[in-house]
């Protein structure tokens, strides 16, 4: 009886040891790199990149050249984060929402309170609106609300001179392609419009005549919240740099939580995540060095959004984040300086 029990225990122990060895193996064996050289990775010990979310929307009207220029010239920004929507005449413009009501004076100009969609206007029609009209600064001031009267015949010129007109992705690239600036771009459209937006963006990124010797395609990471557009990008344009979709990011985090990173087959180069996930009422903290280290083993950069408080910024800096997206790039600058980093 004792002999049988001893044999059974030995068999159970052997099974346990095999399982442990297997688990250790899949956790230790280096996974395949998503990319050989990732421009969005920072070296160990270096500061994270400063990413101006929508151009730094707490400082200036979001997604405008006024915001972009200010963030670059005054806040040591390394990355511009922006969103793209398709217009009626298939131009890609920088705007977060599908409607223009929240940031422009469209209702005042057109004289009717209703939703005005980007897709219902051509680019030239959108040029009529002041995209700084609804901006409120930290002191509660709306400095650009009265920039130009609705009936002013020089509206377009006045708005453009103030850098508050809606801008195309071509205008943004034209302004900064000969710098070292990086870009995080989100395609907002889904369905056929999202695929068309992806086609246009890819064509622009690979236009060597327009951007000679700039290697622009290696400075832009493209993301989307739509799995179908993520799949379209992955299959149609495998050479572009992609950010993780919501589904991809969740799958990656799960494989890392259970230490089975060998089974991860992600092809994105930037893991763009919030500081926490709320899963069925359970809050998962994503500010963990484990996730960052395991992403780095695959040459995947880890970028957190959207962080505006100093305490969280400090935690992310200490954890080794590659980029912090913020509406307040000036605050992040101050935190980095206070922590001893040289921004020049």
């Amino acid at each position: 009886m004792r002999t049988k029990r001893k044999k059974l225990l030995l068999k159970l122990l052997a099974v346990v040891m095999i399982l442990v060895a297997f688990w250790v193996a899949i956790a230790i064996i280096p996974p395949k790199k998503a990319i050989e050289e990732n421009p969005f990775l920072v070296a160990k010990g270096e500061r994270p990149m400063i990413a101006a979310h929508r151009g730094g929307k707490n400082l200036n009207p979001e997604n405008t050249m006024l915001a972009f220029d200010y963030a670059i010239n005054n806040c040591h920004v390394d990355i511009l984060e922006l969103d793209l929507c398709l217009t009626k005449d298939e131009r890609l413009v920088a705007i977060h929402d599908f409607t223009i009501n929240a940031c422009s004076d469209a209702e005042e100009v057109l004289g009717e309170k209703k939703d005005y969609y980007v897709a219902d206007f051509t680019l030239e029609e959108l040029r009529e609106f002041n995209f700084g009209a609804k901006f409120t600064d930290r002191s509660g001031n709306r400095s650009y609300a009265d920039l130009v009267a609705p009936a002013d015949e020089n509206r377009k010129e006045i708005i453009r001179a103030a850098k508050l007109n809606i801008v195309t992705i071509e205008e943004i690239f034209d302004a900064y392609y000969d710098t070292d600036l990086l870009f995080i771009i989100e395609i907002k459209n889904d369905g056929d419009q999202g695929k068309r937006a992806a086609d246009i963006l890819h064509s622009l990124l690979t236009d060597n005549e327009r951007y000679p010797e700039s290697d622009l395609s290696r400075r832009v990471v493209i993301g989307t919240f739509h799995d179908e557009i993520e799949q379209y990008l992955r299959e149609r344009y495998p050479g572009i740099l992609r950010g993780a979709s919501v589904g991809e990011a969740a799958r990656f985090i799960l494989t890392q939580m259970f230490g089975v990173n060998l089974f991860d087959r992600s092809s994105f180069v930037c893991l763009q995540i919030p500081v926490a996930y709320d899963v069925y009422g359970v809050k998962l903290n994503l500010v963990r060095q484990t996730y960052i280290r395991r992403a780095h083993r695959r040459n995947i950069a880890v970028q957190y959004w959207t962080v505006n408080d100093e305490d969280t910024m400090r935690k992310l800096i200490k954890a080794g984040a590659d980029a912090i997206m913020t509406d307040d790039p000036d605050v992040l600058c101050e935190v980095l300086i206070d922590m001893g980093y040289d921004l020049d």
Side-chain angles (χ1 to χ4, degrees):
M1 192 71 177
R2 288 182 179 178
T3 303
K4 288 183 179 180
R5 188 178 297 173
K6 186 176 181 180
K7 287 182 178 179
L8 180 61
L9 288 173
L10 288 172
K11 287 180 181 179
L12 287 173
L13 180 61
V15 170
V16 170
M17 290 179 67
I18 290 170
L19 289 174
V20 169
F22 175 74
W23 198 269
V24 170
I26 62 177
I28 290 178
I29 295 174
K32 182 181 178 182
K33 291 182 179 180
I35 188 174
E36 284 303 316
E37 294 185 11
N38 190 341
F40 290 88
L41 274 172
V42 298
K44 187 175 181 180
E46 290 186 0
R47 69 169 178 85
M49 295 187 191
I50 302 171
H53 182 246
R54 306 189 204 176
K57 76 183 190 73
N58 285 347
L59 300 177
N60 288 287
E62 64 184 61
N63 285 317
T64 63
M65 290 304 296
L66 181 64
F68 298 148
D69 281 347
Y70 184 89
I72 293 165
N73 295 327
N74 297 278
C75 301
H76 299 275
V77 163
D78 306 287
I79 305 173
L80 284 184
E81 189 279 344
L82 55 102
D83 315 279
L84 295 179
C85 289
L86 206 60
T87 67
K88 185 178 181 180
D89 54 344
E90 294 195 335
R91 302 295 298 275
L92 284 173
V93 292
I95 188 169
H96 179 267
D97 298 332
F98 290 119
T99 60
I100 61 176
N101 300 62
C103 53
S104 80
D105 57 356
E107 293 178 356
E108 291 78 9
V109 173
L110 299 176
E112 186 178 357
K113 289 188 176 296
K114 69 173 189 177
D115 288 336
Y116 292 102
Y117 290 88
V118 175
D120 291 336
F121 295 89
T122 66
L123 175 61
E124 282 308 305
E125 289 169 341
L126 289 168
R127 300 286 201 201
E128 292 286 347
F129 306 122
N130 170 15
F131 280 83
K134 301 296 175 63
F135 173 70
T136 303
D137 66 22
R138 290 167 176 165
S139 299
N141 301 314
R142 293 180 58 186
S143 304
Y144 310 107
D146 301 319
L147 175 69
V148 57
D152 196 312
E153 61 181 16
N154 296 317
R155 279 185 61 84
K156 285 185 180 179
E157 291 76 13
I158 295 170
I159 293 168
R160 179 178 284 276
K163 299 182 180 180
L164 293 173
N165 56 291
I166 200 164
V167 290
T168 65
I169 189 59
E170 293 97 328
E171 290 171 318
I172 295 168
F173 286 159
D174 287 350
Y176 308 121
Y177 89 92
D178 59 352
T179 70
D180 294 328
L181 194 67
L182 300 176
F183 302 87
I184 296 172
I185 292 177
E186 180 186 338
I187 295 176
K188 302 296 290 188
N189 299 96
D190 60 0
D192 290 340
Q193 281 192 319
K195 293 176 182 178
R196 180 61 182 146
D199 293 339
I200 295 170
L201 185 54
H202 178 266
S203 178
L204 186 62
L205 289 174
T206 54
D207 187 344
N208 293 325
E209 290 186 8
R210 185 169 188 139
Y211 305 114
E213 301 179 3
S214 70
D215 202 18
L216 193 58
S217 65
R218 311 313 294 171
R219 293 165 50 198
V220 178
V221 62
I222 304 172
T224 174
F225 273 78
H226 309 293
D227 286 341
E228 62 174 326
I229 305 304
E230 176 275 322
Q231 182 179 355
Y232 183 80
L233 287 166
R234 174 164 39 87
E235 295 176 353
R236 187 71 176 269
Y237 305 115
I240 67 168
L241 304 183
R242 288 189 304 104
S245 66
V246 174
E248 283 185 308
R251 287 191 292 273
F252 182 87
I253 292 297
L254 284 173
T255 63
Q256 308 317 310
M257 283 179 65
F258 294 104
V260 289
N261 48 301
L262 185 64
F263 295 138
D264 176 61
R265 292 293 182 268
S266 302
S267 58
F268 56 82
V269 301
C270 292
L271 178 65
Q272 296 158 341
I273 52 176
V275 295
Y277 274 148
D278 194 338
V279 182
Y280 299 108
V282 179
K283 194 170 185 179
L284 299 178
N285 177 28
L286 302 186
V287 185
R288 296 180 60 183
Q289 289 184 337
T290 302
Y291 299 147
I292 297 173
R293 283 199 303 267
R294 287 181 175 167
H296 285 177
R297 292 183 72 194
R298 297 206 53 212
N299 272 5
I300 294 173
V302 184
Q303 304 170 330
Y304 286 88
W305 53 265
T306 301
V307 182
N308 296 329
D309 67 283
E310 293 188 22
D311 288 343
T312 305
M313 288 175 179
R314 291 177 186 275
K315 290 177 182 177
L316 290 171
I317 294 165
K318 291 177 181 178
D322 295 288
I324 299 174
M325 301 182 218
T326 178
D327 298 323
D328 301 295
D330 58 332
V331 174
L332 181 51
C333 281
E334 292 172 3
V335 169
L336 287 166
I337 292 171
D338 184 63
M339 293 179 69
Y341 290 94
D342 183 4
L343 300 186
D344 294 322

